[in-house]
Every structure is written in C-alpha cells, then in structure tokens.
C-alpha cells in the first residue's frame, strides 16, 4: 500500500504540471499585446515617419546657417556656421514690419474667430430657434468653395466698404475661413457638456450669456484651445488673400518672404532664415495650448 502510494505521487504531480502547462499554452493573449517582431516593426515605422516629417524643417534650418550658396553646396555650412542670414533678414529688410503686421492680423483673427465660433456653437448646441440647422449647413457649404473662387467676390465686398489694404478687412476675410470649421467643432464639444450646468446657472439667476461666459466657457477650454490654434494658423501662414487685399506697407510674413525670390533667381539664404523665424511663433503658440489640445481630444472621445 505504501509502495503504491509512493509510486502514484510522482504521477499525480506530473499530471498537475502538464495540466498547468497546457492551460498556459491555450490561455488567450493579453488584449493589446504584441509580439517582439511586431513591436520592433511598429517602432521602426514610427521612427521613419518622424524622420521624414522632421527632415524638411531641419534641412531648412541647416541651410539657413550657411553662406548664400549653401543650397548648392551643403558642405559649406559645416565650414562656415554663422547667423549672418538672420541678422540680414532682421536689419536689411522690412521683416520687422511684416512681423508686426502679421501679429496684428493673427491676434485679431484669433480673438474674433474664437468669439464668433464659440457663441455660434453654443447657441446651436443649447437653443432651438428657426434656422439653426440651416445656419450650420451654411457654415459647412462655405467650406466647399475653393479659395480662388472667393477672392473676387471678397475683394468687391471689401472695396465697397473701404477695407482694401486694411487690417480689419483681412481679419474679417480670415474669419470667414476659420469660423465655420471652428463653430462645427465647438458645437460638438458643447454637446458633451451636461445641460444641468445651464439649468444650475438659471436657478442662480444668471442670464443665458452669463451662464455661457461664467460656467460653460471654463469647461470648454480644451475646445477653445483648438479653435484658437486653428484661427491663429489660418492667419499666420496664409498667402492668397493677403497678397491680393494688402499693399506693400501692410504685407504679412507669408507675402513678404516672396520678395526674396524674383523671376531670375531666389535668395535661398534669406528665405530659409526668414522661414525659421516665422516658424518660431507658431511653435510657441502650439506649446502654449498643447496641454489643452490633448485634453480636448481625449475628453471629446470619452464622454458619452
């Protein structure tokens, strides 16, 4: 009996071990898990995509640090690194005037675009009035027209009101581009904010605008950040409207940089240096609103 017991014990232990191994073999893979090969391929693809995306910007920065002929002989940059191109752009051209004009237009477009888009999006999200649906559809339809088609009618309107070669005229023009998209986006974001907040504001005696300004706007900061960033970029780098509606004294950066190129030749040293300087404010604005951009996207995707 004892011998049988001792001889059966190893058999039971081996059977338990085999059962555990079998269950581990058929256990489903953890959700989201990837094999080592798939992980390496994914990271390699992301690294390659990042390099491809960053290479043009880094190349422009590299060429801007060299002599005037660096675009023909990139090796010359390593032999004579300097900031001479940046100094010439700032001191020997109208770049400071272009920069000031662009700041005025971009700031005005951002403020006007955020205000109009937020009020329009909130009204359509919270209120039911005749023409609300048609209003949003009209916003959508305006985005379907190419920019070249709108230049002539916009020029005639601005000329009729004396807004050609005027900051306000260009700001209003850019608002027609930024507001429709931003209104649709903010309308969707306002839909995710509970209506109970509006009801609480009315109980406390707030007017509809007071509720919007004091209760809803603080909760909509991520959506407003996206709106502000889009409106800023619309005005900061636009060329077609600015070149048609503004004179030489009111050139923006995107238009002024074109003066570095003629029909015969282009001054690539000045153009690359100016391009890098133009990139800096846009990057700073992005860094300022980056936290709100990310939170806005995640909040809009998780709310039910």
């Amino acid at each position: 009996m004892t011998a049988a017991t001792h001889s059966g014990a190893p058999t039971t232990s081996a059977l338990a071990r085999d059962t555990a191994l079998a269950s581990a073999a058929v256990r489903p893979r953890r959700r989201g898990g990837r094999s080592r090969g798939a992980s390496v391929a994914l990271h390699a693809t992301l690294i390659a995509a990042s390099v491809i995306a960053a290479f043009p910007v880094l190349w422009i920065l590299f060429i801007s640090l060299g002599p005037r002929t660096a675009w023909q002989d990139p090796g010359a940059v390593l032999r004579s690194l300097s900031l001479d191109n940046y100094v010439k752009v700032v001191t020997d051209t109208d770049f400071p005037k272009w920069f000031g004009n662009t700041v005025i237009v971009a700031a005005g477009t951002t403020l006007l675009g955020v205000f109009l888009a937020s009020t329009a999006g909130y009204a359509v999200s919270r209120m039911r009035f005749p023409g609300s649906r048609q209003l949003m559809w009209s916003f959508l339809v305006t985005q379907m027209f190419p920019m070249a088609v709108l230049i002539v009618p916009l020029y005639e309107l601005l000329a009729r009101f004396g807004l050609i070669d005027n900051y306000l005229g260009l700001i209003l023009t850019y608002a027609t581009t930024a507001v429709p998209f931003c209104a649709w986006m903010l309308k969707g974001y306002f839909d995710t904010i509970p209506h109970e907040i509006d009801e609480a504001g009315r109980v406390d005696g707030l007017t509809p605008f007071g509720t919007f300004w004091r209760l809803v706007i603080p909760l909509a900061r991520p959506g407003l950040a996206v709106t502000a960033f889009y409106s800023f970029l619309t005005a900061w780098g636009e060329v077609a409207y600015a070149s048609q509606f503004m004179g030489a004294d009111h050139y923006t950066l995107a238009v002024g940089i074109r003066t570095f190129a003629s029909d015969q030749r282009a001054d690539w040293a000045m153009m690359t240096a100016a391009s890098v300087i133009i990139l800096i404010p846009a990057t700073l604005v992005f860094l300022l609103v980056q936290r709100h951009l990310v939170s806005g996207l995640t909040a809009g995707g998780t709310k039910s």
Side-chain angles (χ1 to χ4, degrees):
M1 182 69 179
T2 304
T5 303
H6 285 291
S7 62
T11 304
T12 303
S13 177
L15 181 60
R17 184 176 65 253
D18 294 341
T19 303
L21 293 175
S23 61
V26 299
R27 185 180 302 164
R29 180 180 297 175
R30 181 171 53 87
R31 184 177 181 181
R34 290 187 296 267
S35 65
R36 182 180 299 274
S39 180
V40 171
L42 176 62
H43 285 80
T45 302
L46 293 176
I47 293 173
S50 301
V51 171
I52 293 173
F55 177 77
V57 177
L58 297 177
W59 183 254
I60 291 175
L61 175 62
F62 178 74
I63 296 298
S64 69
L65 298 174
R68 298 173 64 91
T69 58
W71 65 278
Q72 296 174 317
D73 182 16
V77 178
L78 300 177
R79 295 191 297 269
S80 57
L81 285 173
S82 69
L83 298 175
D84 292 343
N85 295 328
Y86 294 91
V87 175
K88 291 179 181 178
V89 166
V90 175
T91 59
D92 297 345
T93 69
D94 291 330
F95 188 89
K97 181 190 295 185
W98 303 337
F99 188 88
N101 295 337
T102 307
V103 169
I104 293 173
V105 173
T109 303
T110 301
L111 293 176
L112 182 63
V114 170
F115 177 75
L116 293 179
S118 59
T119 51
Y122 178 76
V124 176
S125 174
R126 290 296 196 268
M127 305 174 185
R128 295 295 177 264
F129 56 90
S132 60
R133 184 182 297 272
Q134 289 76 8
L135 175 64
M136 297 305 293
W137 277 110
S138 65
F139 284 164
L140 184 62
V141 170
T142 57
Q143 299 294 294
M144 300 180 182
F145 291 97
M147 185 177 296
V149 176
L150 299 176
I151 289 179
V152 173
L154 286 174
Y155 187 93
E156 292 182 354
L157 286 173
L158 295 179
R160 182 174 301 178
F161 291 101
L163 295 177
I164 295 295
D165 197 18
N166 187 288
Y167 292 129
L168 179 59
L170 192 59
I171 290 172
L172 292 175
T173 300
Y174 289 152
T176 62
T177 303
V179 169
F181 171 79
C182 294
W184 267 102
M185 182 184 60
L186 283 177
K187 189 264 181 187
Y189 192 88
F190 286 138
D191 288 342
T192 65
I193 298 177
H195 289 252
E196 289 77 9
I197 294 177
D198 301 68
E199 297 174 359
R202 288 194 293 269
V203 170
D204 291 340
L206 294 177
T207 63
F209 184 80
T211 302
F212 165 73
W213 184 256
R214 298 180 61 181
L215 300 181
V216 178
I217 285 295
L219 297 176
R221 285 180 181 176
L224 295 176
V226 178
T227 301
F229 185 61
Y230 179 79
S231 300
F232 175 83
L233 290 185
T234 298
W236 189 257
E238 200 278 330
V239 177
Y241 289 147
S243 61
Q244 297 299 320
F245 301 158
M246 305 297 279
D249 291 336
H250 295 116
Y251 273 174
T252 59
L253 288 172
V255 179
I257 196 175
R258 296 173 57 190
T259 61
F260 296 148
S262 62
D263 295 336
Q264 288 75 28
R265 60 183 298 274
D267 192 338
W268 289 105
M270 303 286 277
M271 292 182 67
T272 53
S275 299
V276 174
I277 298 176
I278 293 173
L279 180 65
I280 294 174
T283 304
L284 293 177
V285 172
F286 172 77
L287 294 177
L288 288 174
V289 302
Q290 181 183 18
R291 177 171 59 88
H292 294 296
L293 288 172
V294 174
S295 61
L297 291 174
T298 54
T302 57
K303 285 182 179 292
S304 57

